[in-house]
Amino acid sequence: MTQAPFGTLDAFRNLLRDLPEPDTQAQEAAEARNAQLTKPPGALGRLETLAAWVGGWQGTEKPEIAAPQVAVFAGNHGVCAQGVSAFPPEVTVQMVANFEAGGAAINQLCKAMGARLSVHALELKRPTEDFTRAPAMSEADFLGALQVGWMAVDHDADLFVAGEMGIGNTTSAAALAYALYGETAGTWTGRGTGVDAEGLARKTDVVARGVALHAPQAQDALDLLRRLGGRELAAMAGAIAAARTARIPVVLDGFICTAAAACLEVVRPGALDHCVAGHVSAEAGHVALLAKLGKPPLLSLDLRLGEGSGAATAIGILKAAVACQSGMATFAEAGVADG
Amino acid sequence: MTQAPFGTLDAFRNLLRDLPEPDTQAQEAAEARNAQLTKPPGALGRLETLAAWVGGWQGTEKPEIAAPQVAVFAGNHGVCAQGVSAFPPEVTVQMVANFEAGGAAINQLCKAMGARLSVHALELKRPTEDFTRAPAMSEADFLGALQVGWMAVDHDADLFVAGEMGIGNTTSAAALAYALYGETAGTWTGRGTGVDAEGLARKTDVVARGVALHAPQAQDALDLLRRLGGRELAAMAGAIAAARTARIPVVLDGFICTAAAACLEVVRPGALDHCVAGHVSAEAGHVALLAKLGKPPLLSLDLRLGEGSGAATAIGILKAAVACQSGMATFAEAGVADG
């Protein structure tokens, strides 16, 4: 496949209507196998349900995670003109160079977890529009970013993580969460890379103004992603949808990744059934967003870096889960009395 | 070294008085390096403090975890005669065979985390005494188990996990926690491998009777470990102390491991400064015990298996932490603006 299987936004919407479901027979076989393994029933706790869930998506009672992929998407944000970040927008391109040179956190985490890393810079010299004034992306721009994300997924991967880099993108994520789920702008707006109290107040106001401008006009949650998001958020949504069509389980990263993913879930309930929350970040709003999605996090370590770092750290837990599920002896094999 | 550096319990007590402290210069150098890495300050959350802590024990600003060791200790418990477990005591020896054949959860977890596994069966044919009637171990028995644990630690390891197997040993752990920290017997007594409500009531009564018998006579927390513990709990305490003298950081496993370790901390405050809590288990009392020790867990996944399984799963988090600390580029190296 050399191009994405959708050439219009409506074609992408149609794809979302027709997503594959997990192999429930394989999932049940995994659960049945689990019940025979040499341990008290349920003693591996959440590792057991995770393993059966991976088994359902991989279509086997003995799932494996031997080839995880992390794809990091980078974009620049016109809304930075409003003074919403502690870092200048130049840092986005500098960090992409750092990813490519192997010096960032996500490079080390991918090495530690045996994951392949791909980096996708999305037109960094052409920031999105400032969403307090206009939609962040045109329809063509948005479609292009969805396609980049879709094409980034390696169909040989057995687990997928979408990460991001984009100075200003917690502002987009907060605006999306507010537009999707209501409450107040303050519920979803946090300090990002570290704005001070004054910066936080400014950022909250930017979120409120952006949602006030776009929510009444938006066609659906995907259109909200176009209006309030960024190219890297759109690409993450495209990638997460592509992973679903390839039945590859996904580990969601932090607030920005989860906000992009939530647009899929709101457009098409169940669209994130192949996703587990890798961690809950220190960014205000992520706890609430995971609660809206009904996804309890695997880790809670106060990370707030992005890049896919929290999800990559959680790969170790999923590897542990499938290692037990697929490698342990049964009571009969081991000659152990089963209580 | 072919034998432990203590030949009496008092010599072991003397060793505990004189434990080495971390290299604070190395820890501060690690923190200073961390502040220069290409990420917003604090953005890696708890991974940052973990990495500096490992650096302090390893004596370097660039710690590594390339050779973790998991040692599993197994013992049998006379208190099983009181009907405190859902499994028969024969399962202890069967599970040791399973560890040796590579079929248990801990085997798969060690493979997934790149850890070396050693298995130490402690006189399984000679269970400890029923602690509702007599001390679980004689002084000679207890000393021998401490020595086995001490000698099990590989001085080339850069991280250590002590795991256990012993039908009936959550009863010992609950009795120890109750004797060390008070509250009620019910605070610390849980369902272990899965006793029913009636079994739980019986187990709670056994814990209360054991502590009523031994607490008034015990010389100190180590003597409580002799009276209420088991050989595998004593061995874990010996191993954790040995790791400290070799400045090897330790990941604590679940309730039983933590109860054994707590005896060291009560005898010698600070004795567990080289330990981090790998997880909080589903066993009642573990949350409270970690709170008493002031050790927040890395994982909370409802595991309740033992074998070192929760701590082994947490090795991935520590690997992630030191990988970032030691492998990331600084702002200067990467040419990234630092906010």
Side-chain angles (χ1 to χ4, degrees):
Chain A
M1 189 164 53
T2 55
Q3 58 183 42
F6 55 94
T8 65
L9 291 176
D10 280 339
F12 182 71
R13 286 185 173 90
N14 284 338
L15 274 173
L16 290 184
R17 277 188 207 110
D18 202 32
L19 296 173
E21 296 300 324
D23 180 338
T24 51
Q25 274 195 313
Q27 183 158 353
E28 284 161 18
E31 286 160 359
R33 174 174 162 75
N34 181 281
Q36 294 304 312
L37 299 178
T38 45
K39 58 175 184 54
L44 283 170
R46 202 163 166 205
L47 295 186
E48 300 185 11
T49 47
L50 282 169
W53 170 80
V54 175
W57 287 105
Q58 293 188 355
T60 170
E61 69 179 56
K62 290 188 175 184
E64 66 171 359
I65 298 174
Q69 180 192 3
V70 177
V72 177
F73 303 96
N76 269 324
H77 293 259
V79 77
C80 283
Q82 302 282 335
V84 293
S85 178
F87 283 76
E90 295 78 56
V91 167
T92 305
V93 70
Q94 292 165 354
M95 282 301 297
V96 166
N98 196 22
F99 298 146
E100 286 168 351
I106 192 61
N107 300 95
Q108 321 317 317
L109 294 169
C110 284
K111 256 189 264 180
M113 299 296 157
R116 184 197 146 202
L117 174 64
S118 63
V119 180
H120 310 266
L122 289 102
E123 303 192 52
L124 299 185
K125 289 184 182 163
R126 199 163 65 81
T128 54
E129 297 293 321
D130 174 352
F131 69 62
T132 64
R133 300 169 183 271
M137 289 168 274
S138 69
E139 295 206 344
D141 248 8
F142 178 52
L143 177 65
L146 287 170
Q147 289 171 329
V148 166
W150 186 285
M151 297 303 296
V153 177
D154 177 353
H155 283 225
D156 293 330
D158 47 27
L159 188 73
F160 182 78
V161 167
E164 46 59 44
M165 173 71 216
I167 298 299
N169 67 10
T170 54
T171 306
S172 272
L176 283 169
Y178 181 34
L180 293 173
Y181 295 111
E183 315 286 342
T184 69
T187 306
W188 308 104
T189 310
R191 290 179 184 266
T193 51
V195 290
D196 58 15
E198 192 185 325
L200 181 61
R202 195 163 51 232
K203 190 171 164 181
T204 307
D205 176 62
V206 164
V207 167
R209 285 192 284 128
V211 173
L213 175 61
H214 295 291
Q217 305 176 59
Q219 177 189 344
D220 61 8
L222 278 186
D223 197 38
L224 284 171
L225 180 55
R226 176 179 77 84
R227 291 168 173 272
L228 297 167
R231 291 192 186 87
E232 78 279 35
L233 281 89
M236 283 191 286
I240 290 166
R244 173 65 169 263
T245 64
R247 295 175 186 272
I248 299 169
V250 168
V251 189
L252 297 177
D253 191 40
F255 184 53
I256 300 146
C257 171
T258 309
C263 296
L264 299 175
E265 183 71 21
V266 170
V267 161
R268 199 290 208 181
L272 302 185
D273 287 354
H274 67 308
C275 301
V276 66
H279 77 127
V280 59
S281 85
E283 179 67 6
H286 196 207
V287 170
L289 190 53
L290 291 177
K292 294 285 185 192
L293 291 169
K295 296 205 178 284
L298 295 175
L299 294 172
S300 178
L301 298 169
D302 285 334
L303 273 63
R304 51 180 176 78
L305 178 61
E307 302 180 5
S309 55
T313 304
I315 290 174
I317 295 172
L318 286 151
K319 282 191 169 194
V322 303
C324 291
Q325 170 74 27
S326 303
M328 282 177 72
T330 63
F331 283 108
E333 286 165 357
V336 174
D338 68 349
Chain B
M1 189 162 54
T2 55
Q3 58 183 41
F6 55 94
T8 66
L9 290 176
D10 280 339
F12 183 71
R13 285 187 173 88
N14 284 337
L15 273 173
L16 290 184
R17 277 188 206 108
D18 203 32
L19 295 173
E21 296 300 325
D23 180 338
T24 52
Q25 275 194 313
Q27 184 159 352
E28 284 161 19
E31 287 160 358
R33 173 174 162 76
N34 181 279
Q36 295 303 314
L37 299 177
T38 45
K39 58 174 185 53
L44 283 170
R46 202 165 165 204
L47 295 186
E48 299 184 11
T49 47
L50 283 170
W53 170 81
V54 175
W57 288 104
Q58 294 188 354
T60 171
E61 70 179 57
K62 290 187 176 184
E64 65 170 2
I65 298 173
Q69 181 193 3
V70 177
V72 177
F73 303 97
N76 268 324
H77 292 257
V79 76
C80 283
Q82 302 283 336
V84 293
S85 177
F87 283 76
E90 296 78 56
V91 166
T92 304
V93 70
Q94 292 165 354
M95 282 301 297
V96 167
N98 196 23
F99 298 147
E100 285 167 352
I106 192 61
N107 300 96
Q108 321 318 316
L109 294 169
C110 284
K111 256 188 265 178
M113 299 297 157
R116 183 199 148 201
L117 174 64
S118 63
V119 181
H120 310 266
L122 289 102
E123 304 193 51
L124 298 185
K125 290 185 180 161
R126 201 163 62 83
T128 54
E129 297 293 320
D130 175 350
F131 69 63
T132 64
R133 299 168 183 271
M137 289 169 275
S138 68
E139 294 205 345
D141 248 9
F142 179 50
L143 177 64
L146 286 170
Q147 289 171 330
V148 167
W150 186 288
M151 297 305 295
V153 176
D154 177 353
H155 284 223
D156 293 331
D158 48 26
L159 188 75
F160 181 77
V161 167
E164 47 58 45
M165 173 71 218
I167 297 299
N169 67 10
T170 55
T171 307
S172 272
L176 283 168
Y178 181 34
L180 293 173
Y181 297 111
E183 316 286 342
T184 69
T187 306
W188 308 104
T189 311
R191 290 179 184 266
T193 50
V195 290
D196 58 15
E198 193 186 323
L200 181 61
R202 195 162 51 232
K203 188 171 165 182
T204 307
D205 177 61
V206 164
V207 167
R209 286 192 284 129
V211 173
L213 175 62
H214 295 290
Q217 305 176 58
Q219 178 189 344
D220 62 7
L222 277 186
D223 198 38
L224 284 171
L225 180 55
R226 176 179 78 84
R227 291 167 173 274
L228 298 166
R231 291 191 185 87
E232 77 280 33
L233 281 87
M236 283 192 285
I240 290 166
R244 172 65 168 264
T245 65
R247 295 177 187 270
I248 300 170
V250 168
V251 189
L252 297 176
D253 191 41
F255 184 53
I256 300 147
C257 172
T258 308
C263 297
L264 299 175
E265 183 71 22
V266 170
V267 161
R268 200 289 206 182
L272 301 186
D273 286 355
H274 66 308
C275 301
V276 66
H279 77 127
V280 59
S281 84
E283 180 66 5
H286 196 208
V287 170
L289 190 54
L290 292 176
K292 294 285 184 190
L293 292 169
K295 296 206 178 284
L298 294 174
L299 293 172
S300 178
L301 297 170
D302 285 334
L303 272 63
R304 51 181 177 79
L305 178 61
E307 303 180 4
S309 55
T313 304
I315 290 173
I317 295 172
L318 286 151
K319 283 193 167 193
V322 303
C324 291
Q325 170 74 29
S326 302
M328 282 177 71
T330 63
F331 282 109
E333 286 165 356
V336 174
D338 67 351

